[in-house]
């Protein structure tokens, strides 16, 4: 039987990011996706035109129902929209069976519109990080969540807030290689590298976190789950670059 992964996030009518990207990734990696919708966005690749949030108690009901459907191999969060929604999600997660939780701390759309309200940033720090197996910020997200500048300082701050591990993604950095660095308490940092390609593909953060969640649900240990997911995304970027 395929392991089930619950994906909690927003829809993106352009199809580039959000839940449709999550579901496509999970399907390709032989997992069953159970979607929990936090908000419906009307957007193109260039702009977010409207955001309609789901009521937080309805999000909590979707999540409880997703757990009640059958065994769950992992949970992944993306766009959570508001502090209130995060509190509702965290309450269900704290009372659910313990499964790996991967947090992609989505703060802003690829086109620059905030996708999380200011209370949400505080709620990620206090309510979600203590529950998570892994948090996957890019460099700007890590800076906003911690106020720190270097990946080491950022990771230490997020570990101090209760995250079990932190993957600081290098996609927004520079250099020939895009290097993601995995920090775990009392272990040396691990690095996952892929060539930096001159290609724009939306939803790569969603894809990476969903692929990690899929690999965890399939039974891979954390470091290997990250490495396999990095290769998966690098392959998709390569295909986009060559028009394959
Ligand atoms: N979720 C939704 C609904 C979005 O619209 C976006 C970006 O626009 C994201 C998540 C994050 O996308 P990315 O994977 O590019 O960080």
């Amino acid at each position: 039987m395929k392991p089930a992964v619950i994906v909690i996030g927003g829809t993106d009518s352009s199809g580039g990011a959000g839940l449709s990207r999550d579901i496509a990734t999970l399907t390709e990696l032989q997992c069953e996706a159970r979607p929990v919708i936090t908000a419906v966005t009307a957007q193109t690749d260039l702009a977010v035109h409207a955001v309609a949030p789901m009521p937080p108690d309805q999000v909590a009901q979707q999540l409880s129902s997703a757990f009640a459907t059958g065994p769950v191999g992992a949970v992944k969060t993306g766009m959570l929209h508001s502090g209130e929604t995060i509190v509702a999600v965290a309450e269900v997660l704290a009372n659910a069976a313990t499964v790996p939780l991967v947090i992609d701390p989505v703060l802003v759309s690829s086109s620059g519109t905030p996708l999380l309200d200011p209370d949400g940033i505080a709620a990620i720090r206090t309510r979600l990080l203590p529950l998570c197996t892994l948090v996957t910020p890019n460099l700007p997200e890590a800076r906003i969540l911690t106020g720190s500048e270097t990946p080491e300082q950022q990771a230490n701050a997020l570990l101090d807030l209760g995250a079990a591990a932190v993957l600081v993604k290098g996609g927004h950095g520079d250099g020939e290689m895009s290097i993601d660095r995995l920090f775990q308490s009392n272990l040396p940092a691990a690095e996952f590298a892929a060539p930096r390609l001159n290609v724009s593909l939306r939803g790569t953060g969603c894809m990476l976190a969903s692929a990690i969640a899929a690999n965890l649900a399939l039974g891979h240990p954390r470091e290997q789950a990250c490495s396999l997911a990095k290769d998966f995304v690098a392959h998709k970027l390569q295909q986009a670059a060559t028009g394959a």
Side-chain angles (χ1 to χ4, degrees):
M1 209 174 65
K2 291 181 180 179
V5 176
I6 298 178
V7 277
I8 308 172
T11 67
D12 169 2
S13 46
S14 77
L19 284 171
S20 57
R21 185 66 90 186
D22 296 327
I23 294 168
T25 303
L26 291 169
T27 305
E28 193 166 338
L29 293 175
Q30 306 302 319
C31 291
E32 177 195 315
R34 294 205 192 131
V36 171
I37 301 182
T38 57
V40 175
T41 75
Q43 63 176 304
T44 63
D45 289 344
L46 300 180
V48 177
H49 296 295
V51 176
M54 295 297 293
D57 62 334
Q58 214 282 343
V59 175
Q61 280 181 4
Q62 291 179 64
L63 184 53
S64 301
S65 304
F67 273 111
T69 302
V72 174
V75 177
K76 178 246 163 186
T77 67
M79 173 188 178
L80 292 168
H81 180 262
S82 69
E84 267 183 288
T85 299
I86 292 177
V87 170
V89 163
E91 273 169 10
V92 177
L93 290 176
N95 291 312
T98 309
V99 291
L101 170 64
V102 179
I103 300 175
D104 178 13
V106 173
L107 305 182
V108 180
S109 77
S110 328
S111 54
T113 302
L115 295 177
L116 184 65
D117 70 13
D119 286 352
I121 295 174
I124 287 188
R125 288 164 50 89
T126 57
R127 303 297 298 260
L128 272 193
L129 289 177
L131 303 175
C132 83
T133 309
L134 181 70
V135 57
T136 64
N138 58 34
L139 290 165
E141 289 163 349
R143 203 172 291 132
I144 291 169
L145 285 169
T146 66
S148 301
E149 282 305 318
T150 71
E152 288 81 2
Q153 291 168 342
Q154 293 163 346
N156 283 333
L158 295 169
L159 292 171
D160 284 347
L161 287 166
V166 181
L167 185 71
V168 183
K169 297 179 291 190
H172 289 69
D174 40 33
E176 264 178 42
M177 301 299 281
S178 154
I179 299 175
D180 298 350
R181 300 174 71 197
L182 176 66
F183 298 88
Q184 309 176 78
S185 297
N186 303 321
L187 285 173
E191 292 192 348
F192 313 105
R196 188 180 301 284
L197 299 175
N198 188 14
V199 58
S200 115
L201 180 67
R202 291 194 44 231
T204 49
C206 305
M207 201 192 289
L208 183 83
S210 286
I212 295 171
N215 289 322
L216 291 170
L218 290 163
H220 296 288
R222 187 159 43 210
E223 192 170 325
Q224 195 182 6
C226 292
S227 173
L228 289 168
K230 177 78 174 174
D231 293 347
F232 178 86
V233 174
H235 182 66
K236 293 288 177 203
L237 285 166
Q238 186 76 48
Q239 283 181 329
T242 58

